[in-house]
Amino acid sequence: MTRQNDIDFLGDFRMVIDGRTEGSEKTIEVINPATEQPVGHAPDCSADQLDAAIASARQAFMSWKATPIAERQALLRAIADRIESIVEPLALLLTREQGKPLADARGEILRATQWFRFYAEQDLPVGRHTEPGGQEVTVRRVPLGVVRAIAPWNYPISMALWKLAPALLAGNAVVLKPSPFTPLTTLKLCEALIDILPPGLVNALSGGDNLGPWISEHPGIDKIAFTGSTATGRAVMRSSAANLKRLTLELGGNDPAIVLPDVDVEETAGKLFWAAFRNNGQLCVAAKRIYVHDSIYDDFAAAIGKIARSTAPAPGEQEGAVLGPVQNRIQYDKVRGLIAASRAAGLGFLSEPGSFDGPGFFIAPTIIDNPPEDARIVQEEPFGPVVPLLRYHDIDEVIRRANESEYGLAASVWAKDADLAEEVAVRIESGTVWINTAHILSPSIPFSGRKQSGIGVENGKEVLLEYTGIQAIIR
């Protein structure tokens, strides 16, 4: 049995299957985006290993679903305690494979434990009523079975634990699949939980392009909870259709921020800079289109451009780093392509992407000055450190422009007049709208996308309904 004191957090990366660690014949090289050198090699799961993991999960589910809710809650608290005890080695590993500054990696892991503590205090709802004919009806929420949880590379730990905590509380077993770009921290975290989890309850599998479709199509999976791009979400939906799997899809966004003319320009520019560029813009709810009223546009552009020009990316392990590199070569080339297309179209720049000597996928915060609405930088989700700043003239116009997107994940409104800001907010077609803030995410707040930004809900008590089915008992 693996114990946390036995774990080498920076080497020998193995999957967790049925309460044991396993390697594989093939491996995947994981690259540090700040150095372009290998961090380590993750196992490339075979089809036989996938079958074994799902079989163990189904076996674990049979006893876990019958486990009293108080014992499930206690296990969630134990998981939170264990993760908190190993934050430092996990954070260092996360920085090396993901690229984010060490302080941000530490914060991601610690915040994610809040989900376990929140759901450890929740119960599954039970409804009761009496029919006109006198029959007594009890409506229960029952677990679904085996859940496939898929986490992306931008926040690999947060997005995994958002799914793991409510799924376990609801009585399900989980097969967790991290992104092939950032699998290492997830594997080590799950290895550190082996001695406190029933064998098979949580399996962690790493793999390449084949593994995702294998899991989605596998008849032993009852539900898929996925965070990632809209294009991949559609593929997950297609491959799941044959078995009618339940789905929760948290997908892409092209999130508008609307700045009303009464704001404090300097203060709002500082807040919106980080709303756009936190985690190098590699955030599904980053402000990706910033609309600023014409009367303050020039002052706002000068203020946010000054911040961008004075904020440089650096290796995440470097002391004082606030922005790291773009996480992988594919995304780096995509962002560079959008910047090049903007330059070729003759667009102006309030800040430049920079030129960096040496290795690493570094791009400085880049702001495009008032591009046309049909420009690629406005219409596409860049998912990187580049954002357009756009002029508008009146509220009806900016709301129309904000809503003319296939996405509807999140948005923000900025104004001194909070009542007016709320009037604008309720007209925006997004699952989340923040007023005078951004990125407030909590286990107690439901998070859901509209249009092409997703299906279902994460977080809040509402997510427990995503991981359960209804059973009505009538007598």
Side-chain angles (χ1 to χ4, degrees), residues 22 34 55 83 85 98 108 140 189 212 214 243 267 340 421 461:
E22 284 195 20
I83 295 172
S85 75
Q98 203 283 332
E108 175 180 345
R140 303 173 59 233
L189 186 154
W214 286 350
N243 305 113
E267 178 184 3
K461 296 181 180 180

Side-chain angles (χ1 to χ4, degrees), residues 407-432:
Y407 298 109
L409 189 59
S412 59
V413 182
W414 304 79
K416 286 183 179 178
D417 185 337
D419 291 337
L420 176 59
E422 187 164 351
E423 290 177 15
V424 173
V426 299
R427 296 174 63 187
I428 298 175
E429 297 169 356
S430 295
T432 297

Side-chain angles (χ1 to χ4, degrees), residues 198-261:
L201 187 62
V202 177
N203 299 271
L205 306 179
S206 53
D209 293 339
N210 290 328
L211 182 57
W214 286 350
I215 301 177
S216 295
E217 296 166 2
H218 202 289
I221 296 291
D222 300 290
K223 177 185 172 61
I224 295 176
F226 169 82
T227 298
S229 72
T230 296
T232 305
R234 293 187 187 114
V236 169
M237 197 170 188
R238 286 193 297 269
S239 61
S240 304
N243 305 113
L244 293 179
K245 291 178 174 61
R246 301 287 188 90
L247 292 174
T248 300
L249 304 177
E250 195 264 282
L251 307 177
N254 194 3
D255 304 2
I258 297 175
V259 182
L260 299 182

